[in-house]
Amino acid sequence: MNNLIKLLNPVTINQWNLKNRIVMAPLTRGFANDEDGTVTEEMVAYYEQRARDGVGLIITEGVNPNLAGKGTYGIPGLYTEAQTVSWKKVTEAVHRHGGTIIAQLWHVGRLSHSDLIGGTPQAPSSIQAEGKVHKLHKPYQVPEAMSIQDIQDTIQHFQNAARNAVLAGFDGIELHAAHGYLMDQFINEKTNHRTDEYGGGIQERLRFLKEIILAVKKEISVDRISIRFSEKKDDDPSFAWTDKAAMIDAYLNLFRETGITILHPSTDRYTTAWAGEKTFHEVIRQQWEHTIIGVGNLDARAAEEALNEGIIHLAAFGRPFIANSDLVHRLHAGEPLVEYDVNKHLPVLI
């Protein structure tokens, strides 16, 4: 077992009885049916293989709550009956092997293109992102600023997606409020120049996320909801919060107010100092009494150390799961891992 006692032993997190503390991080693969957003047999095989190997918790690739949320090719949805039914094949396969799986709900906002969604992308404000759309290789378009009705409709779409996640057999959901996507676009003052109740101060900018949490809670118990959030932005690598402490306070106060107990703070590298000598996760742990999922290019040793120190409760691995469908077995056996190679592994399914 190579002394990975904490990492490989079973654990109970709220209503989830997990085989171990290993989490399969959300990994965009682009293997869904691009025409209708339904799950393919290749996706079923992909998730089932990881569940068969014994991973504790699977967080799916980002799943769209509506067509406007789509940011590249081959992204699955949870907004039609056909999509919902197709996901049942995945959840049933995972559950056959005693696994636990939650759906990550993901709306990219302005980081989309009319070629993908058939209309102008929407965002809190009409501010164009820098760079090009993933796989489409076209510059981001100037988005349309969302009206109050657009906002309310989108919140309802998230609620409907949460309801469909339950119908599809998922054990929970994760809200992707990180990396510069729609929820994060509302939170970030650089992308939100609104002057109504959804813009201005941090409390107003957090309102969109708050109302989504309150909406999805109507469909699934709050102790089955994880929130992914981050300082880092995929479209703005140099971005940093002006007041780190105030932002963390604002987030954590919101999560306490809404009853959230599972956080998935996202950073490129878990071990990198973020505020003084402390890492992003360490800063959050100082103020957060509930579950934290660690992520950020973790290896098994670093994960075990963080678990033993009580900084995190679960450890998420991304690329190692693409390169090693039998990652859990290899960790149990002390076998070396296959190193991830984008050219070799990105198109590889099993």
Side-chain angles (χ1 to χ4, degrees):
M1 194 175 286
N2 271 351
N3 297 319
L4 300 177
I5 307 299
K6 199 87 167 179
L7 183 64
L8 295 176
N9 273 352
V11 64
T12 297
I13 302 292
N14 296 348
Q15 297 185 44
W16 303 330
N17 296 315
L18 308 181
K19 291 182 175 181
N20 47 59
R21 296 176 186 263
I22 298 172
V23 177
M24 178 176 162
L27 297 160
T28 300
R29 303 305 308 277
F31 291 130
N33 184 316
D34 189 62
E35 294 297 318
D36 61 11
T38 56
V39 168
T40 60
E41 291 302 323
E42 291 80 6
M43 290 172 65
V44 177
Y46 172 76
Y47 285 110
E48 182 170 15
Q49 178 62 39
R50 276 77 184 167
R52 181 184 296 117
D53 186 52
V55 60
L57 174 66
I58 294 174
I59 306 177
T60 70
E61 62 207 281
V63 183
N64 295 151
N66 57 17
L67 179 58
K70 183 178 178 179
T72 189
Y73 298 111
I75 304 302
L78 264 173
Y79 54 91
T80 71
E81 183 178 0
Q83 292 165 353
T84 303
V85 170
S86 71
W87 272 112
K88 287 183 180 180
K89 295 180 180 179
V90 172
T91 60
E92 289 171 355
V94 170
H95 292 154
R96 274 199 301 272
H97 300 285
T100 302
I101 182 169
I102 66 175
Q104 187 192 72
L105 303 184
W106 175 45
H107 191 307
V108 303
R110 69 176 187 164
L111 302 185
S112 186
H113 196 278
S114 57
D115 286 2
L116 295 169
I117 61 176
T120 305
Q122 292 189 324
S125 300
S126 186
I127 302 171
Q128 185 177 13
E130 296 183 10
K132 294 184 177 180
V133 183
H134 183 58
K135 292 185 180 179
L136 186 62
H137 306 301
K138 290 185 178 182
Y140 291 114
Q141 297 167 313
V142 177
E144 175 187 35
M146 297 172 73
S147 67
I148 294 295
Q149 187 62 55
D150 292 329
I151 291 172
Q152 293 172 347
D153 289 345
T154 303
I155 293 168
Q156 184 63 54
H157 293 152
F158 273 96
Q159 182 175 341
N160 293 343
R163 181 184 307 132
N164 288 337
V166 173
L167 292 173
F170 282 104
D171 300 294
I173 63 169
E174 176 167 280
L175 295 176
H176 196 339
H179 301 174
Y181 298 119
L182 182 62
M183 283 182 260
D184 204 7
Q185 289 162 27
F186 271 90
I187 298 166
N188 183 356
E189 67 273 17
K190 287 183 65 175
T191 52
N192 183 347
H193 292 180
R194 302 179 72 94
T195 57
D196 60 12
E197 60 266 43
Y198 292 96
I202 183 57
Q203 298 305 321
E204 289 75 24
R205 300 197 310 273
L206 280 167
R207 179 172 177 172
F208 182 61
L209 172 57
K210 177 181 179 179
E211 292 186 357
I212 290 174
I213 294 171
L214 295 177
V216 300
K217 278 172 54 177
K218 297 176 182 177
E219 307 299 335
I220 190 166
S221 60
V222 71
D223 59 353
R224 293 178 181 265
I225 300 172
S226 169
I227 307 288
R228 190 172 225 204
F229 69 105
S230 68
E231 178 184 51
K232 60 170 280 200
K233 315 297 177 218
D234 287 356
D235 62 315
D236 188 0
S238 65
F239 178 85
W241 289 328
T242 303
D243 188 337
K244 295 179 185 294
M247 285 301 300
I248 293 296
D249 283 345
Y251 274 109
L252 299 187
N253 287 337
L254 169 62
F255 300 146
R256 292 189 188 99
E257 179 186 352
T258 54
I260 294 295
T261 58
I262 304 171
L263 302 185
H264 190 181
S266 181
T267 185
D268 282 329
R269 186 171 290 276
Y270 175 87
T271 56
T272 298
W274 181 70
E277 297 181 355
K278 297 191 179 298
T279 68
F280 190 46
H281 292 78
E282 286 172 337
V283 170
I284 294 167
R285 167 52 66 215
Q286 285 185 318
Q287 303 174 61
W288 184 250
E289 59 275 28
H290 302 298
T291 301
I292 295 177
I293 302 173
V295 72
N297 205 22
L298 273 171
D299 61 34
R301 295 294 178 192
E304 181 74 12
E305 182 178 346
L307 289 165
N308 283 324
E309 291 175 352
I311 299 166
I312 61 176
H313 295 86
L314 301 170
F317 300 87
R319 292 172 180 172
F321 264 115
I322 297 178
N324 301 269
S325 62
D326 59 345
L327 175 66
V328 178
H329 166 77
R330 287 174 181 264
L331 292 178
H332 270 288
E335 297 177 0
L337 302 185
V338 175
E339 188 172 348
Y340 173 80
D341 181 327
V342 64
N343 295 315
K344 179 181 178 181
H345 293 117
L346 193 57
V348 175
L349 205 55
I350 303 300

